[in-house]
Amino acid sequence: MLQMPLSSSSSKELRSVSDNKVDDVSLYDTNVLLFYVNGNRVEERMVDPMMTLATYLRDHLRLTGTKIGCNEGGCGACTVMISERDPLSGEIRHFSANSCLMPICGVFGKAVTTVEALGNVKDGRLHAVQERLAKTHGSQCGFCTPGFVMAMYSLLRNTPEPSVQQINEAMQGNLCRCTGYRPILEAFYSFAKADTGDLKITETGCGLGEKCCKVNGNGNGNLTDLSTCAPYDPTHELIFPPELTLKHTELRNFAMAHDSTVWYQPAHLADLLVLKRLHPHARVISGNSELAVERKFRFIDLPIVINPRQVVELHEFSLDIKRGVYLATGLSLTQMDERIGEYRQQLEEFQSQTLLEAHKMMHWFAGKHVRNVASIAGNIATASPISDLNPLWMASGTTVVLESEERGERELIIDEKFFVGYRKTTIASDEIVKAIWIPLTEKHEHVTAYKQAARREDDIAIVTGAFCTLLDAETQSVKHMRISYGGMAPTTILALRAMEKGKGRRFDWSLLERVTCELASSLVLPAGVPGGMPRYRLALALSFFYKHFLEVARRENITSIPESIESTKIGESIPQDQYSTQSFTEISSGQAEWDAVGRPIPHVSGQKHTTGEAIYCGDINVPNCLHGAFVTSKFASGILESIDASKALSMPGVVAFFDASDVRPGAKIGHGVGDTDVFVEREIRYNGQPLGLIVATDHETARRGANAVVVNATQKKAIVTIEDALDAKSFICPDMHIHSTMAENNGEQVVSDWNKYDRVVEGTIRMGGQEHFYLECHQCVVIPHEDDELEIVASTQCVADVQTEVGKCLGIPRNKIRVSVRRIGGGFGGKESTAPLCAVPAAIAAIKLRRPVRITLERFDDMAISGNRHPFRFDYKVAVDDNGKLVDMNIACLQNAGHTFDLSIGVIHRCMVHLDNVYHFPRVDVIGKLCKTNLASNTAYRGFGGPQGMFATESIMTHVAEQLGMDIDEFREKNMYESSAKTFWGNSLDPCNARRCWDECIEKSDYYNRKQEAAKFNKLNKYRKRGVALTPTKFSIGFGLKHLNQASALVLIYTDGSVLVSHGGMEMGQGLHTKIIQITSRCLGIDATKIHIQDAATDKVPNASPTAASMGSDLNGLAVQNACDQLNERLAELKNEMPEATWEKLVETAYLRMISLSASGFATTPCDPVDFGTGAPGGEMFSYAVYGTAFCEVEIDCLTGDHHLLRTEIVMDVGDSLNPAIDIGQIEGAFIQGYGLFTMEEIKVRPDGVRLSRGPGAYKIPSADDAPRHFSVHLLKGSSNKNSIFSSKAIGEPPLFLGSCALFAIRNAIKAFRSVCFSHLVKNCSKTKASSVTSDSIHLLLPNVFDWHVKMNYWRRQTFIHPVGC
């Protein structure tokens, strides 16, 4: 065996702790935690070893640029760079890591770099990554931005000129809910080397290089200019601390004893083995990716922890031609992948098949930040039944090397005997996993591995499969076959009987049939299996084997299997790079330079987002602050009998407990209605409902205290679904109605006679909910002052609501409650009405304890407590005449409202008035029902019911066209609104730009050619199909509640000429403050640099409407304009008198002449609402509508249900854009959020109402990998809007529904497969009208060669599964 030699640094004599005294902390080299942060030395002599690095950075060092978004390593907001010396080679290694998973003692002897070290706005010094990300408009809310910056920075520290592929990989594990990823990738791709070897920044200043729209002449205007950016210079970075190098900290034994945990970090294998003998059940951690989550949310105790990462012998690696590749388990998965890549270069291609498959699978294993710290030992020893790699080790015959002090070293093949039960292996408790031996493959031996997950990148597997087949070259018979699966049993398994069926047989169709039959029989999963989807998982297992079968036939050129030429891998044509165009109308040459309106200026906080200087609620340091954590219900319906907090109150650090007895009698939260308990008094109404509040000296102590509270409650049967509510007659309020005939018949409804229609189509559509997944969870801090005054900083979209609810529940006048917010880390409607759920309890505690109290919800709790997008069911009946024109529609909208009103009435109202989308329905009858269920109250979400209504309409249009044999696009065009039309509920559409957007999108996307190309592709490919689709949208702008259509603003001019603007809108990433500054610039005639907006606060602007309904810039902009008009009127005479005076001189003179330099502005927009009680249509309920059309092209894997979004083209009507960069960013972000809603995001709730999807591990939003690499947005030209500020249009919500275009494209791809392979089933496709096309739901619509096997085996066992929807 060729052993990697020790370097000069690591060949120094290692001091081993004395035998049998290795658990004596005092005998270690050091008990002082030493590390560096941003070049500064940090020493800790007493700290909880398991405190996370993120907590330490934020709470102890006050480096708040590092954000916490989930505390389970699933979002990347907490990404930092860690630098260390390799204990074997002495080389310095830089890597990104999730600081929310990293234990603080895990950075002993290392250097940590956070976003603060790179650059800052204050000093005018930005790092190249920060500068380019800000210039490409790559941040919106900004909460995720420091994590993206650090991910890219870490890559550049190792690879100053990376490839696009390396950049894509570096982004794994970082999520953004705002941008749609396109501008982030544009910024980072500018660092890449092109195929020519040159850097990609060109003279155009665009990171897209030659693909820039300016080069190709495809765009108008320049959204991004990187021409002034300096090249990245790696010589200016922080060096690795010399002290750590001189002291060889990577070779030193380190231990720390704390009250709750003793941390051992030996540097010698002998010490590690002794520790394992003395403490056989101690937890051994490396990456801590699983244990951190377990400790955080299951509150497990860890008295002893052993970290083996500095053991020199565990970093060895070697290549032995006879045995294979030896990889010690101190290597991270990333290091292991690097070694595999090096050895593959030294081997023949046929020898390295297992290594190649390991490399491929590694790409899909968690995220890059996890792979940088996770170890292969942890993956094997934790024995996850859905491991990505264990099936490959099992199929390839990989050997694991174990060692104990008592018995020495032994080797075990990872086979059917290795995993003995759920999360159990044959590894003895005193053994460590020392290394693995990956065998090399021989000629005619073929290894493949496959994985299917809800999301391709950074997601746990649904099923993994690995296969190894060795053929006899002459007879083409099978010498041996190994088939292994994860996700098909409580352990990783070998399909022994199926393997036996294949052994010795000729590799042909009969082998496939025999093996498949055996797999189908032996792998059947029972009903109620953990993880669900039993039939889909079996189908995946069979499909994976079929893919392997075809791949082996292709490699061996077995002509008797002609299908071997078929490719079963989708997305092969997707470029690593990005092709995009953002076209908009440039400002006229005559516009004054100081006039900022219409310019694509960056977000005013964009640079601060990239540097971590942007302050959010959780970043504010409040002295003497206490922390609250909720005690929540474990089930969805029941009676609270008693609650005992005595154990919690005895815990050190716990200060107090509050429950319903501390709330004023009758005080409840809720808009007007007041139907939401602050804390449960008696009746438990949803899983996660707050029962009480523990207040402690820090966040973690409060959480552990809350977990210690004993709750005695009686469970009742829960009402969970719409169907449950209908059966129980459980409704929030009386039904809502719209009857279009009442407008024409003096308020009398004319009931339709459906018997007179010849062409009637009926059906049902279901649409699920959606989690907001804003990166910043709900949080607030309440500071009590004298006279019961309260200062509240909250992450909210409506400061007035927080003020109102706190005042109402505590009996304090609103003039004593100041609520403010500078910015929030995403909202999407989820913080419009729900912020009081945290603010009221915190205020109660703060008033009673006379100390500041902060509540910060964990993602796990936020997703349970705060509500989601409303699920809907639509029962419809539609009539069409012989010319294909819509005649009549009768539709029932059934909404799952949750347990209280919240905003559900407004949501169903908007849903009902968006049922037309862009089509003229001459006659419509709509009924809306609000179903009351035992779920968290569903609430506002971007679109506010509109997307649900429009999805119903587009599904209906598709159903009608297919059932009546019409072309869907022609059917749409026949029924589209013409200009100056009127909706069925009474609103004028003047002008109506639906057809303009539609026609332009057809042109921009080259729709008809793309459609033909997809058809050609489908003829040439059996198991891959493509689909294209066009989807239009019309979204009406305005609050449905009339009195909310008002806004106030305060404009203050100071004597130095600077201007301070205050308005009632919240900045949540939509660029509202940026647009308001641009509006003020034009109104006052001054440069935007003179204008500042500080925060939104109730003591500046009272009674502000929520920042919602896409009305932020419309209402607040008009209010600012009104205030500026007043100021201009006062200054008019002075301007005439001093025409040449500077602004500063003008203001100074006005002050000296005692002219008021402050003005309060006010604005309203009209609203004549529908009478939903009687059903009578209204007048002009909304001021105007926004129109758009999207084109999507997708490719699906017909064997697994996986899909890729290949291409998206959007044309959007935004009027005269106030800021094209912000508007295009909103369009891209909304589209990707909508794409997630309609394809992968799935809220999972048990039949008893217990929520299962409570974090990024179980709930998947799109990642950068999911964003289309062909992604273009075009703003409709010549569309001025007379009903809004400076002819602009709102843009926050309207584009979201366009994400459904991907769903309809997927549906067309499914139809293409069914028409070719199963033509008799094509019409059945029209019956499929669920809103989410996850991989399992796609697969269910793709009948294939294995359906018979799946159905027969489930029929025999009578285990058909019926999904429960909400």
Side-chain angles (χ1 to χ4, degrees):
M1 181 175 77
L2 301 173
Q3 185 103 4
M4 176 73 183
L6 294 174
S7 70
S8 58
S9 66
S10 57
S11 60
K12 293 178 179 292
E13 184 178 351
L14 299 175
R15 187 174 78 83
S16 178
V17 183
S18 303
D19 288 352
N20 297 316
K21 294 184 180 179
V22 73
D23 61 344
D24 186 342
V25 172
S26 65
L27 295 178
Y28 278 68
D29 290 335
T30 181
N31 304 139
V32 177
L33 173 61
L34 170 64
F35 62 104
Y36 276 72
V37 177
N38 299 338
N40 299 312
R41 192 176 192 274
V42 179
E43 262 194 22
E44 283 285 352
R45 298 180 181 274
M46 181 55 66
V47 66
D48 181 357
M50 295 304 293
M51 174 188 289
T52 67
L53 175 59
T55 299
Y56 188 88
L57 291 172
R58 291 180 58 81
D59 295 352
H60 292 250
L61 300 184
R62 300 304 308 164
L63 294 172
T64 57
T66 301
K67 306 303 181 189
I68 296 177
C70 68
N71 263 322
E72 54 180 274
C75 73
C78 65
T79 306
V80 298
M81 188 183 80
I82 297 176
S83 305
E84 65 178 5
R85 277 169 55 92
D86 187 283
L88 189 64
S89 66
E91 295 179 353
I92 296 171
R93 170 181 173 240
H94 309 289
F95 58 93
S96 59
N98 295 115
S99 61
C100 74
L101 296 180
M102 177 65 67
I104 187 63
C105 281
V107 295
F108 169 78
K110 297 175 174 55
V112 178
T113 304
T114 72
V115 71
E116 286 90 346
L118 275 61
N120 61 77
V121 176
K122 184 178 179 181
D123 295 337
R125 179 182 57 87
L126 296 186
H127 189 275
V129 175
Q130 296 168 324
E131 180 187 18
R132 296 187 197 183
L133 190 58
K135 285 193 172 184
T136 58
H137 315 280
S139 71
Q140 289 185 22
C141 85
F143 201 81
C144 69
T145 308
F148 274 98
V149 168
M150 293 312 299
M152 186 64 201
Y153 175 75
S154 301
L155 172 63
L156 291 177
R157 288 301 303 269
N158 292 308
T159 313
E161 296 180 358
S163 67
V164 170
Q165 184 175 356
Q166 288 173 314
I167 294 170
N168 289 336
E169 187 174 315
M171 295 306 103
Q172 291 178 337
N174 287 86
L175 297 177
C176 175
R177 195 55 153 164
C178 297
T179 65
Y181 299 103
R182 197 269 319 156
I184 299 174
L185 294 175
E186 180 184 344
F188 293 167
Y189 287 167
S190 71
F191 291 96
K193 260 191 173 181
D195 295 336
T196 60
D198 299 323
L199 290 178
K200 299 191 69 176
I201 288 187
T202 67
E203 291 182 0
T204 67
C206 178
L208 298 177
E210 294 302 314
K211 296 160 193 164
C212 172
C213 61
K214 285 184 73 181
V215 174
N216 296 317
N218 294 328
N220 298 98
N222 188 20
L223 204 62
T224 298
D225 181 9
L226 299 179
S227 60
T228 59
C229 294
Y232 170 60
D233 184 356
T235 64
H236 290 173
E237 305 292 7
L238 284 172
I239 64 170
F240 188 76
E243 179 188 7
L244 302 182
T245 301
L246 293 171
K247 289 184 175 179
H248 294 287
T249 52
E250 76 278 7
L251 301 176
R252 301 183 72 189
N253 294 299
F254 163 66
M256 176 173 280
H258 184 263
D259 296 341
S260 58
T261 303
V262 180
W263 176 281
Y264 295 106
Q265 191 164 308
H268 197 281
L269 181 62
D271 293 341
L272 176 62
L273 296 176
V274 174
L275 276 173
K276 276 297 284 176
R277 173 175 62 80
L278 296 175
H279 304 287
H281 300 293
R283 301 297 289 263
V284 179
I285 70 167
S286 182
N288 199 41
S289 55
E290 186 165 312
L291 189 60
V293 178
E294 218 178 316
R295 185 173 186 267
K296 183 80 178 179
F297 300 110
R298 297 181 186 172
F299 300 98
I300 62 171
D301 293 322
L302 295 170
I304 297 176
V305 171
I306 303 171
N307 184 344
R309 287 303 294 271
Q310 300 199 177
V311 173
V312 177
E313 294 91 334
L314 297 187
H315 287 259
E316 296 173 355
F317 50 90
S318 63
L319 170 63
D320 186 313
I321 297 300
K322 294 182 179 179
R323 291 215 59 186
V325 171
Y326 177 90
L327 297 168
T329 56
L331 299 170
S332 70
L333 292 178
T334 297
Q335 291 173 303
M336 173 181 151
D337 190 29
E338 291 167 353
R339 300 292 85 77
I340 284 174
E342 292 168 4
Y343 290 141
R344 281 177 51 219
Q345 298 299 315
Q346 302 173 32
L347 295 166
E348 297 286 343
E349 184 178 350
F350 74 84
Q351 295 175 302
S352 60
Q353 287 203 30
T354 302
L355 301 180
L356 176 61
E357 293 303 309
H359 167 69
K360 290 179 180 177
M361 192 60 74
M362 208 78 72
H363 180 81
W364 308 117
F365 188 110
K368 181 71 172 178
H369 317 316
V370 170
R371 295 198 299 273
N372 285 338
V373 296
S375 130
I376 190 60
N379 192 245
I380 293 172
T382 55
S384 170
I386 51 173
S387 164
D388 293 348
L389 289 170
N390 286 343
L392 180 59
W393 305 145
M394 189 175 275
S396 61
T398 293
T399 299
V400 62
V401 181
L402 307 173
E403 187 167 354
S404 68
E405 185 197 35
E406 182 179 341
R407 297 176 301 283
E409 191 176 286
R410 67 173 177 139
E411 295 184 6
L412 291 177
I413 295 177
I414 300 178
D415 57 14
E416 72 278 6
K417 300 175 184 176
F418 186 79
F419 299 105
V420 295
Y422 178 70
R423 298 279 187 171
K424 294 179 180 178
T425 69
T426 54
I427 303 172
S429 59
D430 65 340
E431 287 181 314
I432 60 120
V433 181
K434 185 178 181 182
I436 60 170
W437 277 103
I438 305 174
L440 304 183
T441 45
E442 55 184 285
K443 287 184 177 180
H444 305 288
E445 186 175 18
H446 305 282
V447 178
T448 61
Y450 308 95
K451 171 185 175 179
Q452 183 63 45
R455 183 179 66 203
R456 277 182 301 278
E457 285 191 345
D458 193 16
D459 194 6
I460 58 174
I462 299 170
V463 174
T464 47
F467 311 89
C468 178
T469 299
L470 176 63
L471 297 184
D472 184 295
E474 295 182 2
T475 65
Q476 290 188 336
S477 60
V478 176
K479 286 186 175 181
H480 77 241
M481 177 181 285
R482 293 171 70 86
I483 302 173
S484 179
Y485 289 108
M488 296 304 297
T491 67
T492 303
I493 59 168
L494 274 176
L496 296 173
R497 291 192 299 179
M499 289 158 48
E500 194 60 34
K501 291 282 186 181
K503 188 175 182 181
R505 295 193 61 84
R506 184 175 176 80
F507 198 85
D508 56 18
W509 289 112
S510 65
L511 177 140
L512 174 67
E513 180 65 20
R514 287 173 66 88
V515 173
T516 300
C517 282
E518 184 55 51
L519 289 172
S521 175
S522 59
L523 295 179
V524 174
L525 297 169
V529 63
M533 301 181 286
R535 291 179 65 183
Y536 176 53
R537 285 155 69 180
L538 175 57
L540 281 177
L542 302 184
S543 293
F544 286 166
F545 178 72
Y546 185 52
K547 283 174 175 265
H548 172 73
F549 174 81
L550 294 180
E551 180 63 18
V552 173
R554 183 190 66 79
R555 293 177 186 176
E556 292 287 340
N557 194 26
I558 300 176
T559 57
S560 62
I561 306 176
E563 290 193 344
S564 63
I565 63 171
E566 292 283 350
S567 172
T568 64
K569 182 180 179 182
I570 65 170
E572 290 181 324
S573 62
I574 294 178
Q576 291 283 340
D577 210 337
Q578 183 175 243
Y579 298 75
S580 67
T581 299
Q582 301 84 45
S583 65
F584 59 95
T585 303
E586 285 194 287
I587 60 171
S588 68
S589 57
Q591 182 168 321
E593 287 190 14
W594 49 259
D595 185 353
V597 170
R599 301 181 190 273
I601 65 174
H603 194 294
V604 290
S605 295
Q607 290 187 343
K608 288 181 286 187
H609 292 158
T610 69
T611 63
E613 292 170 278
I615 301 300
Y616 300 81
C617 176
D619 301 333
I620 300 170
N621 185 21
V622 180
N624 202 31
C625 189
L626 298 171
H627 297 258
F630 286 121
V631 179
T632 59
S633 60
K634 304 301 181 188
F635 45 77
S637 179
I639 301 297
L640 177 63
E641 307 291 352
S642 64
I643 188 163
D644 181 4
S646 57
K647 181 179 178 182
L649 291 169
S650 68
M651 296 169 62
V654 172
V655 175
F657 173 69
F658 297 89
D659 62 10
S661 64
D662 297 287
V663 180
R664 291 175 66 236
K668 290 182 182 289
I669 298 168
H671 283 97
V673 181
D675 59 347
T676 302
D677 293 333
V678 178
F679 301 118
V680 169
E681 296 179 30
R682 179 162 175 77
E683 184 180 356
I684 295 172
R685 298 197 284 182
Y686 71 96
N687 172 226
Q689 187 173 10
L691 308 177
L693 183 77
I694 285 287
V695 178
T697 53
D698 63 81
H699 178 66
E700 280 307 308
T701 300
R703 292 185 68 250
R704 288 187 168 270
N707 185 62
V709 173
V710 178
V711 176
N712 180 24
T714 303
Q715 187 170 1
K716 292 165 44 179
K717 180 176 174 56
I719 297 171
V720 178
T721 66
I722 290 170
E723 288 70 24
D724 291 343
L726 292 175
D727 290 342
K729 294 182 172 53
S730 176
F731 303 106
I732 291 282
C733 64
D735 295 346
M736 308 290 169
H737 303 266
I738 303 177
H739 303 295
S740 62
T741 55
M742 293 179 71
E744 305 161 359
N745 293 278
N746 299 318
E748 295 294 325
Q749 178 191 359
V750 178
V751 179
S752 297
D753 178 9
W754 286 86
N755 292 321
K756 69 180 182 182
Y757 300 133
D758 295 328
R759 307 172 85 190
V760 176
V761 176
E762 300 182 59
T764 295
I765 299 161
R766 289 179 174 81
M767 181 165 173
Q770 185 181 23
E771 164 60 33
H772 299 88
F773 214 97
Y774 29 69
L775 266 291
E776 177 202 30
C777 292
H778 271 285
Q779 50 190 295
C780 69
V781 58
V782 180
I783 306 167
H785 295 297
E786 62 185 55
D787 296 328
D788 281 341
E789 291 177 353
L790 292 176
E791 180 184 351
I792 302 174
V793 180
S795 183
T796 178
Q797 291 175 235
C798 187
V799 289
D801 272 5
V802 173
Q803 182 191 47
T804 299
E805 298 297 335
V806 169
K808 178 179 67 175
C809 292
L810 274 71
I812 298 174
R814 290 173 64 175
N815 63 357
K816 291 187 176 183
I817 302 170
R818 181 186 190 272
V819 183
S820 66
V821 57
R822 182 179 286 268
R823 63 178 60 84
I824 63 176
F828 315 114
K831 296 174 181 176
E832 179 178 343
S833 64
T834 53
L837 295 175
C838 292
V840 171
I844 291 171
I847 283 287
K848 294 204 173 186
L849 297 174
R850 306 307 305 169
R851 285 179 64 180
V853 174
R854 182 189 298 277
I855 292 180
T856 301
L857 292 187
E858 295 286 343
R859 177 74 57 188
F860 183 81
D861 296 318
D862 189 294
M863 290 180 71
I865 291 172
S866 61
N868 309 121
R869 185 186 295 279
H870 290 73
F872 270 82
R873 190 183 97 184
F874 301 92
D875 298 329
Y876 61 89
K877 183 162 56 174
V878 177
V880 182
D881 68 17
D882 292 339
N883 297 317
K885 298 281 283 186
L886 295 163
V887 177
D888 202 342
M889 178 169 69
N890 189 305
I891 185 166
C893 309
L894 294 87
Q895 175 203 72
N896 191 329
H899 78 288
T900 58
F901 271 90
D902 197 80
L903 300 176
S904 296
I905 291 178
V907 170
I908 203 164
H909 286 176
R910 184 169 284 270
C911 172
M912 293 167 72
V913 298
H914 279 73
L915 285 167
D916 56 340
N917 196 16
V918 299
Y919 310 111
H920 174 58
F921 287 84
R923 177 175 286 193
V924 178
D925 291 294
V926 188
I927 183 172
K929 290 181 177 289
L930 286 75
C931 298
K932 184 176 183 178
T933 59
N934 292 116
L935 298 177
S937 286
N938 288 313
T939 189
Y941 200 127
R942 196 177 201 168
F944 204 72
Q948 292 96 317
M950 290 185 284
F951 176 71
T953 306
E954 290 303 322
S955 297
I956 290 168
M957 296 294 287
T958 304
H959 185 191
V960 171
E962 290 179 351
Q963 184 157 319
L964 300 182
M966 296 183 287
D967 179 87
I968 179 60
D969 296 323
E970 292 178 4
F971 181 48
R972 285 182 174 128
E973 290 174 354
K974 280 184 180 181
N975 290 281
M976 275 188 186
Y977 282 122
E978 300 297 336
S979 189
S980 302
K982 182 167 279 195
T983 66
F984 72 85
W985 37 274
N987 221 110
S988 299
L989 304 176
D990 185 20
C992 176
N993 289 326
R995 180 62 68 95
R996 285 191 60 201
C997 290
W998 174 267
D999 291 341
E1000 190 166 318
C1001 190
I1002 288 174
E1003 177 190 346
K1004 295 286 188 184
S1005 65
D1006 196 16
Y1007 174 61
Y1008 294 113
N1009 284 333
R1010 297 304 311 169
K1011 194 173 182 179
Q1012 288 180 356
E1013 289 299 315
K1016 290 178 185 177
F1017 179 91
N1018 293 339
K1019 284 183 179 180
L1020 296 174
N1021 293 274
K1022 184 171 183 179
Y1023 300 118
R1024 299 185 297 156
K1025 298 295 178 185
R1026 288 186 179 176
V1028 300
L1030 287 168
T1031 302
T1033 189
K1034 169 182 67 67
F1035 193 89
S1036 299
I1037 300 301
F1039 285 100
L1041 201 56
K1042 185 172 183 175
H1043 68 261
L1044 293 180
N1045 292 287
Q1046 62 174 300
S1048 301
L1050 181 64
V1051 178
L1052 309 177
I1053 304 174
Y1054 296 91
T1055 53
D1056 64 351
S1058 63
V1059 177
L1060 179 65
V1061 178
S1062 298
H1063 61 90
M1066 311 308 121
E1067 176 57 63
M1068 51 188 167
Q1070 83 282 42
L1072 176 58
H1073 287 353
T1074 308
K1075 286 186 174 182
I1076 294 296
I1077 286 173
Q1078 291 177 278
I1079 290 167
T1080 309
S1081 163
R1082 171 172 286 184
C1083 290
L1084 292 180
I1086 61 174
D1087 193 271
T1089 57
K1090 301 180 189 297
I1091 305 161
H1092 181 64
I1093 298 175
Q1094 190 171 34
D1095 59 10
T1098 54
D1099 62 347
K1100 296 175 183 176
V1101 176
N1103 315 314
S1105 296
T1107 306
S1110 301
M1111 290 292 285
S1113 57
D1114 280 20
L1115 280 172
N1116 293 291
L1118 289 169
V1120 168
Q1121 184 183 43
N1122 178 252
C1124 291
D1125 287 346
Q1126 297 174 46
L1127 291 166
N1128 286 330
E1129 186 177 348
R1130 295 174 199 164
L1131 295 172
E1133 185 176 338
L1134 202 58
K1135 287 181 180 179
N1136 291 331
E1137 182 183 325
M1138 306 168 59
E1140 302 300 322
T1142 64
W1143 169 254
E1144 288 78 7
K1145 183 63 177 176
L1146 186 74
V1147 168
E1148 182 185 8
T1149 304
Y1151 171 74
L1152 293 174
R1153 295 190 184 182
M1154 293 184 288
I1155 297 173
S1156 173
L1157 294 175
S1158 69
S1160 177
F1162 182 72
T1164 65
T1165 56
C1167 176
D1168 184 8
V1170 173
D1171 185 342
F1172 291 94
T1174 65
E1180 303 303 318
M1181 185 172 178
F1182 301 110
S1183 299
Y1184 62 91
V1186 175
Y1187 304 89
T1189 298
F1191 163 84
C1192 284
E1193 183 175 3
V1194 301
E1195 185 177 326
I1196 63 171
D1197 181 338
C1198 301
L1199 295 175
T1200 65
D1202 195 13
H1203 83 274
H1204 272 286
L1205 176 56
L1206 305 178
R1207 183 185 299 264
T1208 295
E1209 203 93 22
I1210 296 173
V1211 174
M1212 205 78 203
D1213 168 23
V1214 301
D1216 293 343
S1217 175
L1218 293 172
N1219 185 320
I1222 285 175
D1223 288 345
I1224 288 171
Q1226 286 291 290
I1227 293 165
E1228 292 168 336
F1231 173 83
I1232 292 297
Q1233 196 171 69
Y1235 167 65
L1237 165 64
F1238 291 106
T1239 62
M1240 70 178 66
E1241 298 184 38
E1242 198 172 18
I1243 295 172
K1244 297 179 181 178
V1245 181
R1246 286 195 330 218
D1248 63 357
V1250 172
R1251 172 123 181 191
L1252 300 177
S1253 46
R1254 293 181 66 170
Y1259 187 85
K1260 298 300 170 184
I1261 70 170
S1263 68
D1265 175 68
D1266 298 300
R1269 289 306 184 259
H1270 293 266
F1271 194 2
S1272 296
V1273 174
H1274 312 274
L1275 303 187
L1276 189 70
K1277 298 176 183 178
S1279 172
S1280 294
N1281 173 32
K1282 63 184 180 182
N1283 295 319
S1284 186
I1285 182 75
F1286 297 139
S1287 302
S1288 65
K1289 284 191 174 184
I1291 199 60
E1293 294 172 289
L1296 183 133
F1297 174 66
L1298 295 179
S1300 69
C1301 186
L1303 178 148
F1304 291 106
I1306 290 169
R1307 199 170 176 283
N1308 288 335
I1310 294 170
K1311 285 177 63 182
F1313 179 77
R1314 294 167 75 114
S1315 65
V1316 173
C1317 303
F1318 299 87
S1319 58
H1320 63 289
L1321 294 175
V1322 175
K1323 279 200 172 182
N1324 289 344
C1325 195
S1326 66
K1327 296 179 181 177
T1328 306
K1329 294 178 286 294
S1331 69
S1332 181
V1333 283
T1334 53
S1335 58
D1336 57 309
S1337 63
I1338 292 174
H1339 190 272
L1340 289 174
L1341 301 173
L1342 292 167
N1344 56 53
V1345 292
F1346 305 118
D1347 267 12
W1348 183 85
H1349 295 292
V1350 175
K1351 291 176 180 176
M1352 281 300 296
N1353 282 286
Y1354 275 94
W1355 176 77
R1356 288 171 185 161
R1357 290 161 177 77
Q1358 295 183 338
T1359 56
F1360 287 100
I1361 308 303
H1362 301 279
V1364 176
C1366 291

